[in-house]
Each structure stands twice: as structure tokens, then as C-alpha cells.
């Protein structure tokens, strides 16, 4: 079997698995978020935190819930890291430096999992398990909850209510993320991922030196890292580490976990608005762009130009031999398409255009399929913008699944798509204007790409790094922390505001004159709008980075 | 605003033609399209220059940014003159001027109409009655002369033949024929009388005969003509909801591009310093991208095309309505017309012809139809009602019976139709002794049957059956009977009068259905009759035995289901429904209450026009959407022109992006800027005329418009920029 065939089989089998699973799993998710019964454990939790699970929330209350919960999480994580030397299982590490703790706290609460530090030599086991891993769960749940609230905005009418944030959060945690994480962890352990509380084993290497091999609760963090599109690895080298991702088939499982929830959420959308075909249209947009991107990354890496890649037949530098080029490229595409940011290879070593594709994946706004929840709401915003322009072209006030897209709706949608590009562009320009780009390893176009990639990753809450740049300085930690924070919560506020205004509307019945939003033509338009918006926004910057390098 | 309009409105040939034809019903269809008259552009130029004032331009953020950019490059050019800088600066200014020109041209058309209306608005002197009371005889109350503008609501004025009505109001006494051509363009006088649905009169129209007493209903300065002038001039034009939404989207895009361009500078400096060996060019120096090029890039990227044409599209949309003699009181109503889901149409006059017509002769008792037709025709010769005429026409069409002139028939006495007898007929004297004198009667079934019985006859059961059948079908039965001297009178047959659906209505309704609009027929007929006509006309639904309350309830019900409703009406009892409907079109012949309640007035009083209004509303939205798509698609080609022009000097690999093979960086950038400006002028006619709208399903419309304006928007600039580049490459200092 040639490398190409193996790579194609890998992708096709992933696709087949996702096609098979997205419907039943989506239906399950739908039942979770729209059920009315509460389990005994859940009732206990509601009593404990003093929440009335039957109380519905307006968009403002829902948003306050999200923000308050996240603010408390950030403060808690920050304190945790700053005080870790006083805590159990600290492995003797020092407290995390202030700007670094701020960065990491924001990073994990925003589902970014940007890591400026090597995990195994900075964080003790307790911080990893009770701090970071917990955030891996709850930040993912927050994303899904916000997406569900937006979908309720479309599905409901003449109400100001979007559900109950605390109920959504609890149910998603208890009924979706935890069970799958437990199951997944066992599977990964079978595959060879480690799961212990060891402080490290000293071994003598071949050359006679000593090396400390850190163990820890790896498998449990690994699984939620992928499932919740978090990406923060236990080890510095992330999923390239054999303790995190031992074999080709665990690699397959990890990619599957990355894509599972984002690709299933459109089904929830379809079910909730009562038109499954609307969900199919959204998932089709995601699938088309994702496949195109995965294919492009593979092509660029397999046919990579440059002296070394041409000599060995592909761009193998920075990739694990056990995964080979194709499976690394597929992982890289999946992780950048989903705001996961986990890596099983060194993105900095990718060919200029291959790395550029990963960069563009994130610039798409993390929507195909995007992070858990965030991908769906991001794509729905793009669908709203598409509907607006297309709807005008059929001579009606545009409507999407029965809801009119008026000035209020377009205001929120426009502001939404302004936020991340603004953060990326301003951040990148600021780094160059202030000379902070000097910490990049490379000069010239590749150095440019490194800086651009960093800000794109942080602002889009991806968290992967092109690496090759030192970001542990106060400037970088502060700036990236701000990008992550604003890049997460401004869009969430806007999405919830949009949901609130949609929910208040009464639905317009569909007629022959209504723009059909489930046909291939519309799917094509959303794809076009997504790509064109990104191209128009970032082309000048891309021209000086990956394009200058690769053309 | 108004003074300015007065001084600049010099109605030149084209303009006056507009004003003159504005009044006539728009049978000429999509007028005002075609190529733009260059003289029209020239005339609008002073206005366009005046609009360069930033205080005017701030309403259009996209163009304001272009103006600021142009001002900036002007400063740069003065500081460091070069052919390239000068050319860019000139074209940037032209971009703003072209945008203003589009708006000025659109406004210019309205101004010509406004000028024509102003001529009608003479400052008449009114005769105000001071202590008038209903029924008071002329001369029993005091009157005084006051200038028309001083009239207040509730004042009562007397208008004699030959005088101009001083203000809008209702006739409270008398009846008069009024020349309303100043407003409607229709020269035939109309009757206005107190009471009923024909009582409204409009200021500026002229009483031709008789004398009426009018109670003024307008506030000073808010007359119908004032409102018309404001509307056609666009004096206080409010942005419509969709226009506001589109503006928000365009502003957001502008901000993004502004960011993309501004943040490019540090990156460019970094890249230039990295490739220090690359020579400085007009585009990039060690200090980064030059100001001229940065502004050019920005102007090319922000959606200038749609930004420039947006307000012209709105003004032209209103203008198209005015050309069809419809006055929309707000742009919001025009947009709502495009969104309408349900059309309520009155049966009579809209779906069917105003009067019932003879459709069939049904003989009884073994007689033949031709004989019945002959008798029916004879008895209808003296019936001048439309129904009577239709009997004569049918007899001619079906049986070839020539119309006999009453004078050509000796011994015949004609009995004309009266409302009292409800019959018409003819009495033929005995002819040459062959048989006795013959009397024929035709008329309402009950009246004729009574006549038969009175003359010794007994109508057979068959007559009663046919009459019932016709009534059941919703038609009107007329019975024809004869009485020959010496014999008992007998019924000959029955004429079936029925509502005749206007030609082409079924096709119209099919079109509506394809557009997703449901048509509901409103009628006072019984449900069975209503159903028969509804089936024949092809409407989707009907409301029978409708009272004004039923109408209002139906509108509310539709609206609760999220649908937008349009209707027409003219009577005072229509007013609540007109006000409740999302689009209420009042007939100009109607009462002032109806005109006040609706948000549009049709000066031709043609209820069918609702359908055209819907199409205009849709066209307005489509034009905006299409040009937005075109504008954004254009950016792709501009990037391919400008990015290699800026950076291929630093990174030669980027020359791969120069797919158009433009001759030099300077000519590439200039070509993009020139194209960006010229495309505005090229699209002015489209903006004014509106994108062609063919009724059809949304998906078809979308694929067509997407192909033309989306794909076209991507391809056209590649060709255009290349062509411009081929031309300007010879300019020294650019090549």
C-alpha cells in the first residue's frame, strides 16, 4: 500500500465513521438538550448551586451566566497556578509566573488551550487534573450551551427565553462529555497511552545521559483534549508524544474524537428547528470545506517543494515516522479546522503552502466544523450573512429558517465577524510595530507567518502553535491572553444577543418566494461567502507570509 | 432643500417628458430605462459637486472614507508630485463625484416631477364660510376671502365652478365635476359629491361645474400635493429597514478592509527591510507602502460600487412607483410590498369586470335559443345599462343578430329600463294583420314573472328551475317573456348574466403563486357564488359575504401567522383594514379617511396595480442585493491586480498572482482604481432602472442573479482592469 493510498483510506474511513455516527449521536445530543427530566445527580447539583432548573433565561441572563461562570473559572485557575507550590502533587514546581498564569487561565477557560509553557515541567498533577482538565470539560460544555441557545433562538418564537445556562452546562457535562471521555480514555489506554500519578522515572539514554520520563494522568486528559476541541497537551509536544498518542489507530481515534461533536451539532440544529434538511445543509458546508482543506494539506505535504522534501519524496521534517506524512497532515488539518490546536507534528516544519493552509483553516473563523459549539454558531452567523445578501437577490426581506434578518440581526452578525479578524490583524501589526516579532525564530516571510499564525490561533481560540517563536515574554502572554479572551467572549455575547432577538420574532411561514436554505445552491453560497470573506480580509497578510514563501 | 430644488429644477426636454407622462397610467411598462442620457449626467453635475461637502456625505460612510482618502492623496501629491500620484488622486476624486452623480441623477428625475406639481399648487384665495351649517342655503351665511395657506383643519370653504379647490378635504354639500389632471394626469373630469365614497377632494384640483362646500381636512403645509412634492423629490427620505441593515453590513466590511489595509503597513516595513536589496518603488519604500497605494488599495476593497449606488437605487424605486401613478407614503411600505405573502383583492373591479355580462341564452319549453336571443335583443335595445348592452353584444356574437336601430323599426315602441319596473322591452304593433301586437319584456326574474302572470300567463316550472340554478351558480338570471295579443303571456327563456373575470387574471395569479404570494378574493357574494368565481379566476382563497370587520379579522389572522398582507380599498369602512394591512393601497377616488389610513395612494384608482407594486418592491430589494454581490465579487480581481503590484518587487514569487499580466505596478494599481470608478458610472442606469425582475420561484431567481452578478462580478473586473491597463500603459510615468 503506497503512502497515498494509506492516507486516502485513513481519510475515507474517518469520513465514513462520521457520516455513520453524526445522525444517531446528533439525535442523542438533541435529546440531551431538549429533554425535560433531570436525573437525581443533576437535581442534587441544582440544589447545591441553588438553581431552579425549570427557570428559563433571557439572552441577557444567559450571557451573564456564561460570563460569570467563566470569570470565576479564570480567577480560580489563576490562583491555582500561582499557589501550586503549596498544593498536593505539585511535583516540586514553582508557582507559575503571573503573566503566564493569566495567559494559561484565559487559555483554558476560552477553550483555546494555547500553551506558552512545557506542560510536563511547569504544571503539577493537581493543576493538570483539577484545574486544566476540568476546564477542558467545562469550556467545551459552555461552547455547546451557547450554540444550543442560538439554535433555540431560531427554533422558538415570541419568547425572550433561551433555556437555562446552568441546566445546559450540567447536562452536557454529565450526559455527553464525561461518559465519552471515560470510554475514550479506556480505549486510548488500551492503545498504550499512560494514566498514572507518577512523578517521573529516570532512565539512562543510549548516549549515557539521564532523562526523566514524566508520567501522569495522560489518557484522561488526552481524550477530553480532543473531544472538547481543547488541544492543551499533557506534554509539550502534545499528541506527537507516544504517551499521548501511541499508534496510528489511536491517531485515528483522536481525530475522530476531534470531529465527533462539531460534525454532529448541525443535526441538533436541524432537529431543533424541525427541518433536518437545514442541518444537512450546514453539515454539508462544513464537510466540503473540511475535505478541501484536508486534501490540500495532504497534497502540499506529499508533493512539498524544497530541497529536502523533494529528495525524500515528501515533507517529512517535523513529523512522527509512526504517523507518516499523510496522517500527520490529516491530523493537522483536523486540529486547525476545529479550534482544537492539538498537534501530532511540528506545524512550523510544514511546507509554506501546507502551513499556509493550516493558517487559513483557522482564519475561516473555526467554523468548518469548528470548535464544539463555537463552530456551529460561527457557521450559523455566516449563513445569516449569506442569507442576507442572497435573500435580497430574491426580492424579499431575507429570512433564515423562518426568522427575518433585519438590521438588528445583521448588526450582531456583522460585529461577530468583525471581532476575530480585528484581533488577528491588530495583534500581528502590533507585534511588528513594537518589535515583539523579534522572538520569532525565523526572519523573512516565514517569520511573518510565525507571528501571524500565533495571533490567528489565539484569537480564534485554536491554541495550536506554528512554534518557532518564543511567547513566554510578558508582552506575548498579555497580548495573546487578551486576544483569547476577547476572541471568545465578545462573539459569545453577540451570538446570544442575536439569539435573543431571533427568539422574540414570530416565524414567517416559508413559501415559494422564500429563499430555500437547504439546496446545494445555498450550500455553495455559504462556502463561497466563507472563503471570500477570509480571502478578502487576510490576503494582504497572507501574501507577505506563506504566499511569499511558497510561490 | 426646497429653495435649492426650485432654482436647480430646469426641466429640460427629457425631464419635462417625464413630468408629462408621469400622470398617464403606466401602460408603457418599464420606462426610464435604457442608456443614460449624457446630458442628464451633465445636468446633475453641479449637484454632484455640491454633495462633496462632508456634512452631506457623512450619511454615506463608504463614500466619506473615499473622500477622506482622496483628500489625503491630494496632500501627498502636492508634497511630492508625480504623474502616478496625480492620476490616482484625480480618479479617487472622480470616484466620489461619480457616486454623488448617481444620487443627483436619481433625484433629478423626481425634481422635474416636483416642478410640474408645484405649478399646480397656485396660491389660491379661498372663500371661507364662517357660520355655515349643514343644509344652510347659499347666502344665509357669511363668507370671507383668505389665502389658501392660512386654512386650518375644520374650516369650511365654498368652491364655485372655475375655481381651484384650496386644500384637501371632504365635500360636505353639493356635487360637482372636478378636473384632477394636475395630480392624476387624467384629463377626464371626475364627479365629487357629499356623502358616500366619492367625497374626497384634493387641493390644487379645479371645479369645472356646479358649486360645492368643502370641509378642509389637511393641516397647513401638509396637503396631498405637498406630500407628493416631498416624495418625488426625496426631500425627507428615510432609510428603509433593509437599507439600514445593508448599510450596517457595508460598514462592517469597510471596517474590516480598513483594518486589513492599515495593519498591512508594519508587515510591509518588515518585509521590505528583510529584502533590503529590493529597490524602492512607487508602491513600496523603506517606509512601507506609500500612502497613495495604501489609499488606492483601501478604496478598491471597500464596497464603493454599492455604497455609491445605494441611495440612487432607493430614490429610483420610489420614482418607478410615481411613474405608475402610485404614491408611497414611505419607503418602508415599498419594501414591505416586496415581502407581501397575502394579497387581498376585491372581487368587483379587480378580479372581475365592474359589471355582470350576459353569458348564455337558455330557452324554455322547447323553444330554440336563437328565438330567445332575438327576443332578448329586441327587448334590450332600450336598455342602456351595461348589462343590457351585454345582451345585445352576446346576441350578435353568438347568433349573428345585427343590432337593430330603434328608428328602423316602425310600429315599435321601446320601453326603457327603469329601476322601478326593473324591466325593459319593446311593444310591436300588429304587422299587416298577421297576428296581434307583440310585447316583449326582459328583466329581473321576479319582475318579469309577475308581468307574465299579470297578463294571464303561467310561467312553467322549468323557468323557475333555471332561475334557481343560475342564482345558485352566482349568476343573475334575467327572464325574457312575450305577450301576443289574444294569447296568454309566456316566458321564452332566461339570460344568464355572470361576473366576467378580467382577461389574464388567471395567469397573473399563477405568477403570484410562483412568487409565493397567496391571493384572497374578497366579495360580498354568498359562498357558492364566491367559490365559482374564485375557481374561475384561479385565486387561492376567498372571503364571501365579507363585512369590513371580516376583512380586518382576516388581515389580523394572516399577520398572526407571520404573513404580510397587502390590500386595496376606497371606502371609509375600508380604513381600519387599510391601516392594519402592511401595504394598504387607497384609491384616489376614495374617501380621505381611506387615503389617510393606507400607506400608498393609487392615483389611477386601479386595484389591479397592487400586483405591480409588489413587483416594484421586489425589484428594489433585488437591485440592492445584486449590486452588493457584484461589488464584493469585484474585490477578487482587484486583489490580483494590486497585491502583486505592491509586493512582487520584494518577493518576486508573488508575480505569479499577476494573472492578468498587467504591464507595470503603477499601471496595475491605477487600472484597478479607474475600473472601480468607471464601474459606478456604468451601473447608474441599472441602479435607476432596477434589475430585471421576472416573477418566479425564489430558487430560480437566485441562481440567475447569482450567475449574472456573482460570477459576472468576479469575471468582469479581470477583463475591465486588463483593458484599462492596455490603454494606460502608454502614459509616461505610469508604465
Amino acid at each position: 500500500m503506497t503512502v497515498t493510498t494509506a492516507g486516502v483510506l485513513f481519510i475515507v474511513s474517518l469520513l465514513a465513521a462520521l457520516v455513520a455516527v453524526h445522525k444517531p449521536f446528533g439525535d442523542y445530543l438533541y435529546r440531551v438538550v431538549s429533554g425535560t427530566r433531570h436525573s437525581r445527580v443533576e437535581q442534587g447539583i441544582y440544589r447545591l448551586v441553588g438553581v431552579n432548573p425549570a427557570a428559563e433565561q433571557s439572552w441577557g441572563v444567559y450571557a451573564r451566566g456564561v460570563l460569570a461562570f467563566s470569570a470565576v473559572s479564570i480567577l480560580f485557575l489563576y490562583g491555582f497556578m500561582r499557589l501550586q507550590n503549596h498544593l498536593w502533587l505539585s511535583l516540586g514546581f514553582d508557582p507559575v509566573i503571573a503573566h503566564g498564569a493569566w495567559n494559561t487561565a484565559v487559555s483554558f477557560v476560552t477553550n483555546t488551550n494555547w500553551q506558552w509553557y512545557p506542560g510536563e515541567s511547569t504544571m503539577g498533577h493537581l493543576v493538570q487534573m483539577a484545574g486544566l482538565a476540568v476546564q477542558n470539560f467545562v469550556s467545551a460544555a459552555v461552547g455547546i450551551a451557547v450554540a444550543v441557545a442560538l439554535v433555540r433562538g431560531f427554533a422558538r418564537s415570541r419568547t425572550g427565553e433561551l433555556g437555562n445556562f446552568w441546566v445546559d452546562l450540567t447536562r452536557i457535562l454529565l450526559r455527553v462529555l464525561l461518559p465519552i471521555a471515560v470510554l475514550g480514555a479506556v480505549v486510548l489506554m488500551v492503545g498504550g497511552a499512560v494514566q498514572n500519578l507518577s512523578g517521573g522515572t529516570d532512565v539512562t539514554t543510549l548516549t549515557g545521559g539521564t532523562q526523566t520520563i514524566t508520567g501522569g494522568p495522560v489518557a484522561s486528559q488526552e481524550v477530553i483534549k480532543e473531544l472538547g476541541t481543547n488541544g492543551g497537551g499533557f506534554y509539550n509536544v502534545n499528541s506527537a508524544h507516544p504517551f499521548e498518542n501511541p499508534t496510528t489507530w489511536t491517531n485515528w481515534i483522536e481525530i475522530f474524537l476531534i470531529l465527533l461533536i462539531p460534525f454532529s451539532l448541525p443535526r441538533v440544529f436541524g432537529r431543533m428547528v424541525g427541518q433536518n434538511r437545514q442541518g444537512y445543509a450546514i453539515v454539508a458546508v462544513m464537510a466540503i470545506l473540511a475535505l478541501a482543506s484536508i486534501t490540500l494539506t495532504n497534497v502540499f505535504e506529499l508533493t512539498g517543494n524544497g530541497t529536502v522534501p523533494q529528495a525524500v519524496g515528501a515533507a517529512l521534517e517535523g513529523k512522527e515516522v509512526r504517523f507518516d506524512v499523510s496522517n500527520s497532515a490529516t491530523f493537522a488539518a483536523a486540529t486547525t479546522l476545529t479550534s482544537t490546536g492539538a498537534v501530532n507534528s511540528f506545524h512550523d516544519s510544514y511546507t509554506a503552502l501546507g502551513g499556509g493552509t493550516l493558517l487559513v483553516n483557522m482564519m475561516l473563523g473555526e467554523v468548518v466544523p469548528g470548535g464544539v459549539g463555537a463552530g456551529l454558531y460561527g457557521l450559523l452567523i455566516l449563513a445569516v450573512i449569506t442569507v442576507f445578501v442572497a435573500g435580497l437577490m430574491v426580492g424579499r426581506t431575507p429570512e433564515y429558517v423562518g426568522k427575518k434578518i433585519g438590521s438588528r440581526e445583521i448588526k450582531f452578525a456583522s460585529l461577530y465577524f468583525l471581532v476575530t479578524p480585528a484581533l488577528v490583524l491588530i495583534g500581528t501589526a502590533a507585534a511588528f510595530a513594537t518589535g515583539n516579532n523579534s522572538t520569532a525564530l525565523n526572519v523573512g516571510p516565514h517569520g511573518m507567518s510565525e507571528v501571524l499564525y500565533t495571533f490567528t490561533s489565539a484569537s480564534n481560540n485554536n491554541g495550536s502553535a506554528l512554534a518557532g517563536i518564543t511567547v513566554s515574554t510578558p508582552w506575548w502572554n498579555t497580548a495573546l491572553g487578551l486576544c483569547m479572551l476577547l476572541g471568545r467572549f465578545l462573539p459569545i455575547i453577540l451570538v446570544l444577543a442575536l439569539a435573543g432577538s431571533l427568539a422574540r420574532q414570530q416565524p414567517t411561514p416559508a413559501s415559494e418566494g422564500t429563499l430555500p436554505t437547504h439546496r446545494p445552491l445555498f450550500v455553495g453560497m455559504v462556502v463561497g461567502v466563507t472563503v471570500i470573506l477570509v480571502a478578502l480580509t487576510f490576503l494582504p497578510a497572507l501574501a507577505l507570509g506563506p504566499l511569499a514563501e511558497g510561490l | 432643500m426646497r429653495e435649492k430644488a426650485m432654482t436647480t429644477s430646469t426641466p429640460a426636454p427629457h425631464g419635462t417628458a417625464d413630468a408629462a407622462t408621469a400622470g398617464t397610467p403606466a401602460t408603457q411598462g418599464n420606462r426610464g430605462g435604457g442608456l443614460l442620457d449624457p446630458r442628464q449626467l451633465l445636468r446633475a453635475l453641479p449637484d454632484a459637486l455640491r454633495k462633496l461637502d462632508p456634512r452631506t456625505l457623512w450619511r454615506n460612510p463608504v463614500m466619506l472614507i473615499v473622500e477622506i482618502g482622496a483628500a489625503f492623496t491630494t496632500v501627498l501629491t502636492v508634497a511630492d508630485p508625480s504623474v502616478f500620484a496625480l492620476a490616482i488622486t484625480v480618479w479617487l476624486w472622480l470616484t466620489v463625484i461619480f457616486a454623488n452623480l448617481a444620487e443627483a441623477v436619481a433625484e433629478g428625475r423626481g425634481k422635474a416631477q416636483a416642478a410640474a406639481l408645484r405649478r399646480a399648487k397656485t396660491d389660491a384665495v379661498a372663500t371661507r364660510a364662517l357660520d355655515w351649517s349643514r343644509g344652510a342655503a347659499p347666502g344665509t351665511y357669511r363668507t370671507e376671502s383668505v389665502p389658501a395657506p392660512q386654512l386650518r383643519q375644520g374650516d369650511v370653504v365654498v368652491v364655485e365652478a372655475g375655481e381651484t379647490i384650496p386644500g384637501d378635504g371632504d365635500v360636505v354639500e353639493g356635487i360637482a365635476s372636478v378636473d384632477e389632471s394636475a395630480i392624476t394626469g387624467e384629463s377626464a373630469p371626475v364627479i365629487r359629491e357629499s356623502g358616500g365614497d366619492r367625497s374626497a377632494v384634493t387641493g390644487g384640483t379645479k371645479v369645472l361645474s356646479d358649486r360645492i362646500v368643502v370641509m378642509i381636512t389637511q393641516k397647513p403645509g401638509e396637503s396631498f400635493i405637498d406630500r407628493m412634492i416631498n416624495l418625488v423629490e426625496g426631500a425627507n427620505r428615510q432609510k428603509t429597514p433593509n437599507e439600514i441593515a445593508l448599510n450596517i453590513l457595508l460598514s462592517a466590511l469597510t471596517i474590516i478592509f480598513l483594518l486589513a489595509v492599515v495593519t498591512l503597513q508594519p508587515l510591509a516595513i518588515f518585509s521590505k527591510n528583510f529584502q533590503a536589496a529590493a529597490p524602492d518603488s512607487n508602491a513600496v519604500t523603506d517606509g512601507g507602502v506609500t500612502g497613495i497605494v495604501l489609499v488606492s488599495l483601501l478604496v478598491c476593497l471597500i464596497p464603493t460600487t454599492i455604497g455609491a449606488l445605494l441611495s440612487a437605487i432607493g430614490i429610483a424605486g420610489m420614482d418607478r412607483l410615481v411613474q405608475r401613478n402610485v404614491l408611497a407614503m414611505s419607503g418602508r411600505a415599498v419594501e414591505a410590498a416586496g415581502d407581501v405573502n397575502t394579497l387581498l383583492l376585491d372581487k368587483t373591479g379587480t378580479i372581475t369586470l365592474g359589471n355582470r355580462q350576459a353569458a348564455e341564452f337558455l330557452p324554455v319549453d322547447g323553444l330554440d335559443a336563437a328565438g330567445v336571443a332575438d327576443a332578448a335583443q329586441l327587448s334590450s335595445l332600450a336598455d342602456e345599462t351595461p348589462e343590457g348592452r351585454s345582451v345585445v353584444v352576446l346576441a350578435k356574437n353568438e347568433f349573428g343578430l345585427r343590432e337593430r336601430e330603434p328608428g328602423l323599426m316602425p310600429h315599435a315602441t321601446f320601453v326603457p329600463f327603469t329601476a322601478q319596473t326593473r324591466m325593459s322591452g319593446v311593444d310591436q304593433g300588429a304587422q299587416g294583420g298577421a297576428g296581434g301586437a307583440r310585447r316583449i319584456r326582459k328583466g329581473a326574474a321576479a319582475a318579469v314573472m309577475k308581468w307574465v302572470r299579470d297578463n294571464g300567463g303561467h310561467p312553467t316550472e322549468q323557468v323557475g328551475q333555471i332561475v334557481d340554478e343560475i342564482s345558485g351558480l352566482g349568476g343573475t338570471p334575467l327572464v325574457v317573456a312575450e305577450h301576443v295579443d289574444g294569447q296568454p303571456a309566456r316566458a321564452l327563456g332566461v339570460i344568464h348574466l355572470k361576473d366576467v373575470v378580467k382577461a389574464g387574471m388567471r395567469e397573473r395569479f399563477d405568477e403570484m403563486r410562483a412568487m409565493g404570494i397567496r391571493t384572497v378574493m374578497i366579495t360580498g357574494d354568498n359562498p357558492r357564488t364566491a367559490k365559482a368565481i374564485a375557481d374561475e379566476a384561479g385565486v387561492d382563497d376567498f372571503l364571501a359575504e365579507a363585512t369590513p370587520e371580516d376583512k380586518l379579522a382576516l388581515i389580523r389572522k394572516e399577520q398572526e401567522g407571520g404573513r404580510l398582507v397587502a390590500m386595496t380599498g376606497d371606502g371609509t369602512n375600508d380604513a381600519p383594514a387599510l391601516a392594519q394591512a402592511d401595504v394598504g393601497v387607497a384609491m384616489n377616488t376614495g374617501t380621505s379617511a381611506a387615503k389617510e389610513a393606507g400607506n400608498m395612494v393609487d392615483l389611477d384608482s386601479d386595484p389591479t396595480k397592487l400586483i405591480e407594486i409588489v413587483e416594484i418592491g421586489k425589484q428594489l430589494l433585488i437591485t440592492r442585493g445584486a449590486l452588493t454581490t457584484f461589488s464584493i465579487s469585484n474585490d477578487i480581481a482587484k486583489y490580483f491586480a494590486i497585491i502583486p503590484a505592491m509586493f512582487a518587487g520584494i518577493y518576486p514569487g508573488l508575480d505569479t498572482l499577476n494573472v492578468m499580466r498587467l504591464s507595470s505596478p503603477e499601471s496595475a494599481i491605477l487600472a484597478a482604481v479607474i475600473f472601480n470608478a468607471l464601474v459606478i458610472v456604468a451601473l447608474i442606469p441599472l441602479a435607476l432602472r432596477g434589475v430585471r425582475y421576472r416573477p418566479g420561484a425564489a430558487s430560480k431567481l437566485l441562481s440567475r442573479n447569482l450567475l449574472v452578478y456573482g460570477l459576472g462580478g468576479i469575471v468582469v473586473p479581470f477583463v475591465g482592469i486588463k483593458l484599462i491597463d492596455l490603454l494606460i500603459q502608454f502614459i509616461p510615468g505610469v508604465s
Side-chain angles (χ1 to χ4, degrees), chain A residues 158 385 388-390 392-398 404-407 410-411 414 417-418 421-422 425-426 428-429 432-433 437 443-445 448 506-509 511-516 519 521 525 532-533 535-537 539-541 543-544 547-548 551, chain B residues 242 244-246 248-249 252-253 255-257 259-260 263-264 266-268 270-271 274 338-341 513-516 559-564 618 621-622 625-626 629 632 635-636 639 643 647 651 653-654 656-657 697-699 701-703 705-706:
Chain A
R158 277 176 273 191
I385 288 171
F388 182 73
V389 177
L392 285 179
M393 275 199 290
V394 303
R396 286 178 68 86
T397 296
K404 284 206 156 71
I405 309 302
S407 50
I410 210 71
K411 185 169 71 196
S414 299
F417 84 65
L418 264 179
L425 291 170
I426 294 174
T428 309
F432 282 101
N437 62 307
V443 288
M448 235 243 41
Q506 64 175 8
T508 310
S511 73
E512 275 297 307
T514 313
L515 171 82
R519 303 248 176 89
L521 184 66
M525 274 197 79
I532 288 180
L533 271 184
L536 295 184
T537 313
L539 206 61
L544 292 175
L547 289 178
L551 289 177
Chain B
N242 277 308
I244 293 171
L246 187 54
I248 293 173
L249 183 71
L253 284 172
I255 293 171
I256 283 214
F257 291 132
L259 277 173
T263 57
L264 185 60
L267 276 58
F270 169 80
S271 305
F274 171 68
D339 283 350
V340 157
N341 302 83
R513 204 168 298 114
M515 286 155 61
Q559 286 173 336
E560 262 159 42
R563 297 183 187 86
L564 263 61
K618 285 191 178 293
L621 295 182
I622 293 175
T629 311
I632 297 171
D635 281 2
I636 296 172
Y639 261 137
I643 286 187
F647 298 129
Y651 299 120
L654 289 177
T656 326
L657 294 180
S699 48
L701 264 177
L702 179 63
S703 22
N705 288 330
L706 204 56

Side-chain angles (χ1 to χ4, degrees), chain B residues 568-589:
Chain B
T568 60
D570 54 3
T572 299
N573 56 15
D574 283 331
L578 279 172
Q580 178 74 30
D582 302 281
V583 179
V585 184
M587 300 292 107
N588 190 44
T589 53

Side-chain angles (χ1 to χ4, degrees), chain A residues 232-243:
Chain A
F234 189 90
Y235 295 104
N236 191 27
V237 295
N238 212 292
S239 298
H241 198 291
F243 285 0

